[in-house]
Structure formats: structure tokens, C-alpha cells
């Protein structure tokens, strides 16, 4: 049975991601009022926070589980469906938005990285059995040291120096996946031992205080850097410097937010669980490159209304995009995905079971290639 508290975190994370896209893809003036620019920047903070939470959730459940062929296939087919369907719609409705580059990426959405998150996420899923082997062979002390070493190498040092020689999205996903598993172990009683283990630091500060403090730090930095750029010509880093997924405040905020939801004893909610299933579909619809080139410029009129209106409308539009995208994706699940997988089970059940067993055996103790 799905844990509705964690499923609710999926929904919250996707709403934060939509707010991020409202901020970074909007058609905002280059030199508008400082307060309005800061409001736009503040809405961008949750995007990479939401991405981090999605990967932490994956590790939380999968590090002690098994990769399932059906899960992998669902993500691939859903990505193809929305990429091809949205391409077809815009080729009919507004072909001027379909550039040659967007056409190429839409026809090969996974290989081309049309959706960077999906490309990295699928690579993470394929690598998960090997990551699970690594995780199982570490003692609790070893997991704490790995968490600390990764934190220093690909979060703390890049935050302090702006230089990240070994970090990229996939490496970061691997690290977050293992951290998600480590958070699960701590729920079951394990205790981090290394002083620089980020889960220990967040545990010491408290999840709520960590999350609130990190949000305030990032927002304050946006205001300070935005002011310094205008008044002093400061250009060493941009106002959005601390929002990226591996930056310490965003990383700690994600751990704090995850721990808040993981500790919440929420009763099972079929509605929450159903909406959470559509979260990936919401992402694939609204962050399709053709859709975002059409969608966000239509909302530029909100900027002259001032910072309060920008923040309120950013949140409202994120909720509206999630609601509409969720409704569309629920229809896809009911009309296409469920009938297809029932047919697949009837027609190719033995072959699917064999392939699933092969995937399940990868990384299991004593497994040998057949």
C-alpha cells in the first residue's frame, strides 16, 4: 500500500517544480523593478528542491527493493506518448513553435534529453540494482561516511567555491538515491555517526527549522545579490546561485522537507495516492519544450502588477497547471495505460515475468548471468 504522506510530498514537489518553471521560463523584463525581480526569483527556489525530493523518495523505497520491468516500461511509454502527442498537436495548431531542433528532440525524447529529468531518472533506475549492491555492502558507519564524503565533494565545496569538477545531474541522482535509503534506515533506528553526514546535521537542527532556515537563507541571498548587482555591479554569481540541486541550502531543505513528510502519520488517502500517480504526467505535459514556449509568455501580463501579485499568481498558476495536467494524465492512465498493461500481461505474461525475474536478480547475492 502506498504511503499517502510520501505521495503527498510528490504532489507538493511537482507544484514547486511548476512554480520554478513559471519563474525561469517566463517572459520577464530585463530591467524591471527590483522588488518584482526578487519576487520572480523567490518562486524559482522550489524547483530543484522538488527534484531532490523526487529522487530521495525513489531511494527511500527502492534501495531495499527491486527494479521492476513494468515500472521502467511505464516511464518510457509515458514519455514517448506525451512527446509524440504534443508534437502532433502543435504541428497542427501552431507549427511555428516546432523548430527543427525541437522536432528532432521530440522524436527521440529520451536519447535527446528532451526531458532532462526523465533521461537521468531512467539511467538511475537502470543503475539502481548496482547501487543497491553498494548500499547493502556498507555498514551503518560506512553509509554515514559515504553520506559525509559525498556532501563535502559534490555539495559543500561547490557551494563555497562555485567549482564542481565531479558533479553532474546523474552523479547527484546516484548520491541522492543512496541518501534516500539511508533516511529509511534511520527511520528504522539506525543513527548517523559521521559529523559531516548531512542527515545527522539536519537531524541535529530539526527538520522544520532546517527547512525554514534554508528557505530564508536562499530568499535573503536572492534579495542581497539582486541589490548588489544593480547598485554595485556585482557579477560573481547570480541571484539564483543557491537554488540549484546540489547547493547546500537546497540540499538541506530537501532533506528537511522529506523528513517532515516521512514523520507525518497521515491516514491512507486514495485521492492523494491517485493524484501522486499523475505527477510525472504533469511534468511531461507542462515542461515539454514546445508547450513551455507557448505557455509561459502568455502570463507575462502579471509582472506589472507588482511582487505580491507575482507570487500569488505564480502559486495559483502552478496549482492550476497541476490540476489540469493531473486530469489529462488520469484520462491517459484510465483509457490507455491500464488497458495496455492488461493486454501486455495477457499476451506476454510469461516473457514479462522472465524479464522481470532477470532484472530482480541483478545485484542479488549469488546472482549469476544466465
Amino acid at each position: 500500500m502506498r504511503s499517502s504522506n510520501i505521495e503527498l510530498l510528490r504532489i507538493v514537489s511537482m507544484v514547486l517544480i511548476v512554480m520554478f518553471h513559471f519563474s525561469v521560463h517566463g517572459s520577464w523584463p530585463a530591467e524591471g523593478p527590483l522588488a518584482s525581480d526578487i519576487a520572480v526569483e523567490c518562486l524559482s527556489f522550489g524547483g530543484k528542491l522538488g527534484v531532490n525530493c523526487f529522487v530521495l523518495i525513489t531511494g527511500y523505497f527502492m534501495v531495499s527493493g527491486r527494479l521492476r520491468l513494468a515500472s521502467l516500461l511505464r516511464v518510457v511509454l509515458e514519455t514517448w506518448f506525451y512527446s509524440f502527442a504534443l508534437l502532433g498537436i502543435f504541428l497542427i495548431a501552431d507549427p511555428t513553435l516546432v523548430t527543427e531542433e525541437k522536432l528532432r528532440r521530440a522524436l527521440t525524447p529520451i536519447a535527446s534529453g528532451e526531458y532532462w529529468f526523465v533521461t537521468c531518472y531512467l539511467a538511475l533506475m537502470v543503475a539502481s540494482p548496482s547501487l543497491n549492491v553498494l548500499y547493502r555492502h556498507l555498514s551503518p558507519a560506512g553509509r554515514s561516511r559515504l553520506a559525509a564524503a559525498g556532501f563535502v565533494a559534490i555539495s559543500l565545496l561547490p557551494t563555497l567555491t562555485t567549482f564542481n569538477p565531479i558533479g553532474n545531474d546523474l552523479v547527484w541522482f546516484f548520491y541522492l538515491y543512496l541518501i534516500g535509503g539511508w533516511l529509511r534506515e534511520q527511520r528504522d533506528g539506525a543513527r548517523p555517526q559521521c559529523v559531516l553526514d548531512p542527515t545527522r546535521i539536519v537531524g541535529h537542527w530539526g527538520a522544520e527549522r532546517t527547512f525554514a532556515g534554508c528557505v530564508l537563507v536562499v530568499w535573503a541571498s536572492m534579495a542581497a545579490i539582486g541589490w548588489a548587482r544593480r547598485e554595485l555591479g556585482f557579477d560573481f554569481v547570480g541571484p539564483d546561485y543557491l537554488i540549484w540541486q546540489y547547493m547546500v541550502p537546497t540540499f538541506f531543505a530537501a532533506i528537511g522537507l522529506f523528513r517532515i513528510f516521512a514523520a507525518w502519520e497521515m491516514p491512507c488517502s486514495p485521492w492523494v495516492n491517485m493524484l501522486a500517480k499523475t505527477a510525472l504526467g504533469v511534468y511531461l505535459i507542462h515542461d515539454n519544450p514546445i508547450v513551455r514556449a507557448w505557455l509561459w509568455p502568455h502570463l507575462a501580463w502579471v509582472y506589472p502588477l507588482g511582487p505580491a501579485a507575482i507570487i500569488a499568481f505564480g502559486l495559483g498558476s502552478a496549482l492550476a497547471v497541476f490540476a489540469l495536467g493531473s486530469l489529462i494524465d488520469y484520462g491517459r492512465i484510465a483509457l490507455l495505460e491500464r488497458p495496455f498493461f492488461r493486454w501486455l500481461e495477457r499476451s506476454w505474461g510469461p516473457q514479462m515475468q522472465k524479464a522481470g525475474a532477470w532484472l530482480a536478480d541483478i545485484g542479488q547475492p549469488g546472482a549469476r548471468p544466465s
Side-chain angles (χ1 to χ4, degrees), residues 17-353:
I17 289 170
V18 179
M19 290 173 60
F20 169 78
H21 292 146
F22 171 88
S23 172
V24 301
H25 296 311
S27 299
W28 313 120
E31 292 294 333
L34 178 60
S36 295
D37 283 352
I38 292 172
V40 170
E41 293 287 355
C42 286
L43 289 172
S44 71
F45 173 53
K48 302 306 180 181
L49 168 64
V51 168
N52 283 350
C53 286
F54 266 104
V55 183
L56 287 172
I57 291 169
T58 303
Y60 185 79
F61 288 114
M62 284 188 62
V63 81
S64 58
R66 294 180 174 183
L67 174 62
R68 296 181 179 180
L69 179 61
S71 299
L72 199 64
L73 191 57
R74 278 190 173 90
V75 176
V76 170
L77 293 177
E78 186 175 353
T79 303
W80 284 345
F81 171 79
Y82 280 118
S83 185
F84 298 160
L86 292 169
L87 173 63
I89 289 171
F90 278 93
L91 281 174
I92 296 170
D94 191 355
T96 60
L97 291 173
V98 185
T99 64
E100 182 178 344
E101 174 65 14
K102 288 177 181 175
L103 176 62
R104 181 189 66 81
R105 290 165 68 89
L107 293 174
T108 56
I110 295 172
S112 67
E114 179 184 36
Y115 300 101
W116 75 270
F117 176 81
V118 172
T119 300
C120 287
Y121 187 74
L122 286 170
L124 172 66
M125 291 181 73
V126 171
S128 62
S130 298
L131 294 172
N132 293 352
V133 172
L134 169 63
Y135 188 83
R136 279 196 302 270
H137 281 78
L138 291 171
S139 65
R143 291 165 186 164
S144 188
R145 294 189 194 107
L146 177 63
F151 166 59
V152 171
I154 56 178
S155 180
L156 180 61
L157 290 179
T159 301
L160 296 176
T161 66
T162 75
F163 181 56
N164 192 358
I166 63 172
N168 58 45
D169 290 329
L170 189 54
V171 170
W172 182 247
F173 276 25
F174 288 170
Y175 176 66
L176 285 179
Y177 179 91
L178 296 171
I179 291 292
W182 184 218
L183 288 169
R184 178 99 181 210
E185 292 288 323
Q186 292 172 34
R187 186 204 67 172
D188 295 336
R191 292 288 180 269
Q193 301 177 23
C194 190
V195 172
L196 290 176
D197 182 338
T199 66
R200 175 174 176 170
I201 296 172
V202 172
H204 176 73
W205 289 348
E208 293 83 0
R209 282 185 294 178
T210 298
F211 175 72
C214 288
V215 172
L216 291 175
V217 165
V218 173
W219 283 350
S221 74
M222 288 175 170
I225 295 172
W227 175 85
R229 284 170 69 88
R230 294 198 178 204
E231 301 298 325
L232 307 175
F234 177 83
D235 62 356
F236 184 62
V237 295
D240 64 349
Y241 177 65
L242 292 179
I243 72 169
W244 304 104
Q245 55 262 44
Y246 53 85
M247 291 296 177
V248 170
T250 300
F251 177 35
F252 277 28
I255 295 177
L257 187 61
F258 182 90
R259 293 185 71 150
I260 291 170
F261 276 85
W264 184 11
E265 296 182 0
M266 179 181 177
C268 180
S269 169
W271 282 99
V272 168
N273 295 351
M274 180 273 291
L275 286 173
K277 289 181 180 179
T278 68
L280 179 60
V282 173
Y283 167 73
L284 294 172
I285 294 168
H286 91 275
D287 202 39
N288 178 279
I290 304 172
V291 172
R292 69 173 180 241
W294 168 83
L295 172 62
W296 300 119
H298 282 84
L299 306 180
W301 58 267
V302 73
Y303 188 86
L305 301 180
I310 291 170
I311 292 174
F313 197 83
L315 175 58
S317 63
L319 293 171
V321 166
F322 184 91
L324 180 58
S326 182
L327 182 64
I328 294 170
D329 195 57
Y330 184 76
R332 179 197 63 84
I333 292 171
L335 298 176
L336 297 175
E337 183 177 276
R338 287 174 182 164
F340 174 78
F341 275 91
R342 284 197 295 265
W343 170 83
L344 197 64
E345 179 63 28
R346 289 195 306 268
S347 303
W348 299 90
Q351 292 86 345
M352 290 281 290
Q353 290 178 6

